[in-house]
Amino acid sequence: MKTTTRAVIIGGGVVGCSVLYHLTKLGWSDVMLLERSELTSGSTWHAAGGFHTLNGDTNMAALQGYTIRLYRELEAITGMSCGLHHVGGVTLADNKDRFDMLVAERAKHRYMGLDTEIIGPAEIAKIAPITNLDGIIGGLYDPLDGHLDPSGTTHAYARAAKMGGATIELHCKVIATTPRPDGTWDVVTDKGTIHAEHVVNAAGLWAREVAAMAGSYVPLHPMEHQYIVTDDLPEIYERDSEHPHVMDPAGESYLRQEGRGLCIGFYEQPCKPWAVDGTPWDFGHELLPDNLDKIEESIAFAYSRFPVLERAGVKSVIHGPFTFAPDGNPLVGPVPGLRNYWSACGVMAGFSQGGGVGLMLAQWMITGECERDVSALDIARYGRWITPGYTRPKVVENYQNRFSVSYPNQELPAARPHRTTPMYDIFTDLGAVWGHQFGLEVANYFARADDPPYETPTFRRSDAFAATAREVAVVRGGVGINELQNFGKFSVTGSGARAWLDRIMAGRIPQPGRMSLTPMLSPKGRLWGDFTVSCLAEDDFQLTASYGAQDIHHRWFMQNESPDARVENISDTRTGFQIAGPKARDVLAACTRDDVAGIRFMDVRRITVGQVACIVQRVSYTGDLGYEIYCDPTDQRQLWWTLWQAGQPYGIAPFGMRAMMSLRLDRFFGSWGREFSPDYTAAETGMDRFINFKKSSDFIGRALAEAERATPPDRMLVTFVVDADDADVVAYEPVFIAGQVQGFCTSGGYAHHTGTSIAFALVPRAAAIDDMVVEIEIMGQRRPARRITTPLFDPDGQVMRG
């Protein structure tokens, strides 16, 4: 056995073999896979083997499309069969909401180039004649859907990797992973120790145990899953062609042809977590005992939807575990806090996603970044606050909602509240309707007695519409107060703080007492972050950005650390409030003896507000006159009562994230994860206006930014006013220019202050004239939209800056 290698992949399932293959494909030949038993010994060998492209996240859908297309390539490279059956598939809709979801997904597919189609009951009857169409409104047909041979596919990945120089060591159990001071690893096995530059945890069912060897926790949990294979059915084997897949979300089931019969699997409500206290090392090639009682209701529903099943005998029952993350997406990427240690876990749809996961991780390891935004699968989307006690109920909830309608405004309740601020009870008493971000409870809006205490999930304008309008009116007409906890915050101190920031950030680094806005770029010039930098002193800076991306950002800072700059994540140790609106200055002045009138736009000051030592910044994401007021969490309630009491003569009222996201629209303010993400560059989104090209530092991503400055990219971000009905743009709706799909929306919504439906979109630069008129597809309707170039509120910025 080799004793040194560039990278060790732990786990020989489809994901581990995909990572191994893609590392060789991209140029690393000195790589090695370790498997404690045989290849496919975890969840892979008993998987149903289905694959599909449908996914609510467009980047995940693209990775699934890549995975499906890859199988022909593997067959050509290796001469092995993956057992491909491209039979197509239809997802059924039995109610208006489910149909709306499919229509919205089809709209996204237009720009992605996926050849899906909305079809009616008559067409479904032709495609899938064994389906009882009672109550079915329509469906989404995808010609790429199909299934394959799990074992053959995994071995094809393995052979292709070996052809690229990789080594596979079977019957080699990893006992320990020990880091060396230089960031490399000793991987201890029952056959000896291997020194590796990189370690990849692709251990599937054993990922928790492998992560623990490195002192880490990976938030996933195995779930028991069951599917049935029937005896031969003449309705199946007498067909001229193979029966397509049918996904029946109402029945929580998926169905496909298996030989001369059918295979049908279930995501049942009375589901069961498996191996709660850890996966046994000797588990692998066996199944769990049959438990048909658990799926009794699902089977009864399936008999109604597919009556042919009532006449079918059961040939076999496959009951085995596979892993989920709390949100159902994979857990991929560099593990925060560990050097050269990577995750490729929680890939519950391995034959839909495994190829894309392998490609992204290989790119990440070799080039330092991926070709697309992988935030949805980045393991750093969960912080160190997450525990097995949180993970398990969220995994159960995700399993139970696997086929449920996914709404853009939906808030799932399991394991909540988990993390709260000192304001939780005060805001609850004021009627807060809670959302959550990065495990933290965040007020979405504040309900009065005549408002719904819970926002009903919908694809259209919700029953929080009136409450949101009221809160927007408070801010624009007087003064509103909003909590600042859900900002990611970092402290950068030390003699080299300014020089480090000048290298990490593309924009201007401010002088003491001032602030600046700046993009943070990747080496290839893509947006890595959208930051506010506040200079408290020459060697003391505060950074603010996305709360949900704080571990992603902190990991990047640590990967680019400097001995003369100390970076600390203070997201949960510095909190406070923002007050915004034309009366905000009056409220703040009533709370302090400091000169509030002398605080200019983009100033930052240390002042005492009431009894509390605060950092006050003259800025507001609402686009109005406003202040961000930061304090220690132990002082937050005292600061609240000071501001609240001082604000009473001015009609102060709380506002939530629904109002915040409405207020930003008529000021054309973009949002991280929407307008700004690693999918885009600064020049595409207009963030290049904050790049300081005059500074001498060779900031990360400068070369690409300079190139796009000289030759602007082909697309650009623009703003549209939309002639909407009862639904507004959410994200990824296609933009029709001259009758052809040539762009897509990044986000949008209803700007209550101006009574306007707004959409942000990326469109071809050549087409982006001032009076541009387009159509945007919203819920299956092509709505007229016209470009606007001047913000609808405070167009010259006098209110915000005055």
Side-chain angles (χ1 to χ4, degrees), residues 52-65 91 98 100-110 112 114 116 140 142 327-330 348-349 352-353 372-373 375-377 398 401-408 410 459 673 679-680 730-733 744-746:
H52 56 89
T53 57
L54 183 62
N55 192 296
D57 183 282
T58 55
N59 278 308
M60 289 303 301
L63 292 180
Q64 290 175 192
T91 301
R98 201 178 302 282
D100 280 351
M101 183 182 78
L102 297 181
V103 168
E105 290 304 306
R106 170 64 187 112
K108 295 177 187 177
H109 296 167
R110 290 188 198 280
M112 295 172 65
L114 295 174
T116 57
L140 178 71
D142 186 346
D327 61 1
N329 277 347
M348 70 88 184
S352 290
Q353 300 172 347
R372 61 178 64 250
D373 182 9
S375 302
L377 53 79
N398 188 274
N401 284 277
R402 180 82 176 97
F403 280 155
S404 296
V405 178
S406 180
Y407 300 93
Q410 189 168 26
F459 291 99
D679 274 335
Y680 317 129
V730 176
Y732 298 108
E733 292 85 353
F744 65 94
C745 297
T746 54

Side-chain angles (χ1 to χ4, degrees), residues 381-402:
R381 70 186 184 274
Y382 293 107
R384 300 185 189 186
W385 51 268
I386 199 167
T387 66
Y390 176 92
T391 297
R392 189 164 56 254
K394 293 304 287 187
V395 164
V396 169
E397 178 183 61
N398 188 274
Y399 185 99
Q400 292 173 326
N401 284 277
R402 180 82 176 97

Side-chain angles (χ1 to χ4, degrees), residues 226-361:
Q226 208 160 192
Y227 65 90
I228 294 170
V229 178
T230 74
D231 288 330
D232 296 356
L233 287 163
E235 291 88 345
I236 298 301
Y237 65 72
E238 291 179 355
R239 285 174 53 90
D240 293 333
S241 59
E242 190 170 354
H243 197 280
H245 288 211
V246 183
M247 277 64 70
D248 181 23
E252 299 158 345
S253 71
Y254 57 88
L255 175 143
R256 66 169 176 83
Q257 184 169 337
E258 175 69 19
R260 290 160 60 92
L262 291 169
C263 165
I264 183 166
F266 306 98
Y267 286 89
E268 71 284 357
Q269 292 300 302
C271 58
K272 187 178 179 182
W274 182 75
V276 171
D277 295 316
T279 303
W281 285 109
D282 59 355
F283 183 85
H285 287 283
E286 60 269 51
L287 292 172
L288 306 178
D290 297 350
N291 187 354
L292 297 181
D293 290 344
K294 188 176 59 161
I295 58 174
E296 181 179 7
E297 291 184 11
S298 298
I299 291 175
F301 196 101
Y303 281 4
S304 174
R305 178 70 71 213
F306 309 105
V308 68
L309 292 172
E310 292 188 280
R311 304 191 301 276
V314 175
K315 180 184 294 185
S316 60
V317 178
I318 311 298
H319 191 200
F322 68 127
T323 57
F324 273 86
D327 61 1
N329 277 347
L331 298 162
V332 180
V335 176
L338 299 177
R339 293 171 64 188
N340 296 333
Y341 191 97
W342 306 80
S343 176
C345 306
V347 190
M348 70 88 184
F351 293 99
S352 290
Q353 300 172 347
V357 165
L359 175 66
M360 292 300 103
L361 188 60

Side-chain angles (χ1 to χ4, degrees), residues 741-759:
V741 175
Q742 298 185 51
F744 65 94
C745 297
T746 54
S747 78
Y750 192 79
H752 286 273
H753 177 66
T754 54
T756 310
S757 185
I758 298 289

Side-chain angles (χ1 to χ4, degrees), residues 136-276:
I136 296 299
I137 299 173
L140 178 71
Y141 178 73
D142 186 346
L144 283 180
D145 278 10
H147 56 277
L148 46 65
D149 170 22
S151 178
T153 300
T154 304
H155 281 87
Y157 274 123
R159 177 175 290 184
K162 286 181 177 180
M163 292 169 67
T167 302
I168 296 177
E169 193 72 32
L170 302 179
H171 302 285
C172 184
K173 179 182 176 182
V174 174
I175 299 171
T177 55
T178 306
R180 291 189 180 186
D182 64 355
T184 62
W185 291 82
D186 286 327
V187 181
V188 183
T189 78
D190 56 5
K191 290 184 175 181
T193 298
I194 304 161
H195 179 219
E197 183 180 346
H198 298 270
V199 173
V200 178
N201 179 358
L205 292 173
W206 295 269
R208 294 173 296 174
E209 287 72 27
V210 169
M213 294 177 188
S216 181
Y217 169 66
V218 56
L220 56 78
H221 198 91
M223 295 292 294
E224 297 183 2
H225 183 66
Q226 208 160 192
Y227 65 90
I228 294 170
V229 178
T230 74
D231 288 330
D232 296 356
L233 287 163
E235 291 88 345
I236 298 301
Y237 65 72
E238 291 179 355
R239 285 174 53 90
D240 293 333
S241 59
E242 190 170 354
H243 197 280
H245 288 211
V246 183
M247 277 64 70
D248 181 23
E252 299 158 345
S253 71
Y254 57 88
L255 175 143
R256 66 169 176 83
Q257 184 169 337
E258 175 69 19
R260 290 160 60 92
L262 291 169
C263 165
I264 183 166
F266 306 98
Y267 286 89
E268 71 284 357
Q269 292 300 302
C271 58
K272 187 178 179 182
W274 182 75
V276 171

Side-chain angles (χ1 to χ4, degrees), residues 480-537:
I481 186 168
N482 174 274
E483 197 171 18
L484 285 177
Q485 177 65 26
N486 60 322
F487 282 175
K489 298 174 282 288
F490 297 89
S491 170
V492 183
T493 55
S495 60
R498 179 177 293 276
W500 182 81
L501 284 168
D502 252 330
R503 179 170 62 88
I504 293 294
M505 301 295 174
R508 179 181 56 84
I509 305 305
Q511 294 302 310
R514 294 291 288 167
M515 306 161 56
S516 67
L517 305 178
T518 172
M520 182 170 70
L521 305 181
S522 78
K524 295 181 180 178
R526 295 185 175 273
L527 289 172
W528 232 226
D530 168 26
F531 280 83
T532 299
V533 180
S534 306
C535 185
L536 305 173

Side-chain angles (χ1 to χ4, degrees), residues 506 521 524-525 681-697 699 701-715 765:
L521 305 181
K524 295 181 180 178
T681 67
E684 287 177 324
T685 60
M687 285 292 284
D688 55 337
R689 68 187 185 277
F690 297 115
I691 293 178
N692 183 7
F693 289 104
K694 295 181 180 179
K695 67 180 182 179
S696 59
S697 63
F699 57 83
R702 180 162 193 156
L704 190 284
E706 293 277 13
E708 289 200 327
R709 185 187 188 195
T711 306
D714 291 338
R715 61 184 183 179
R765 186 174 296 270

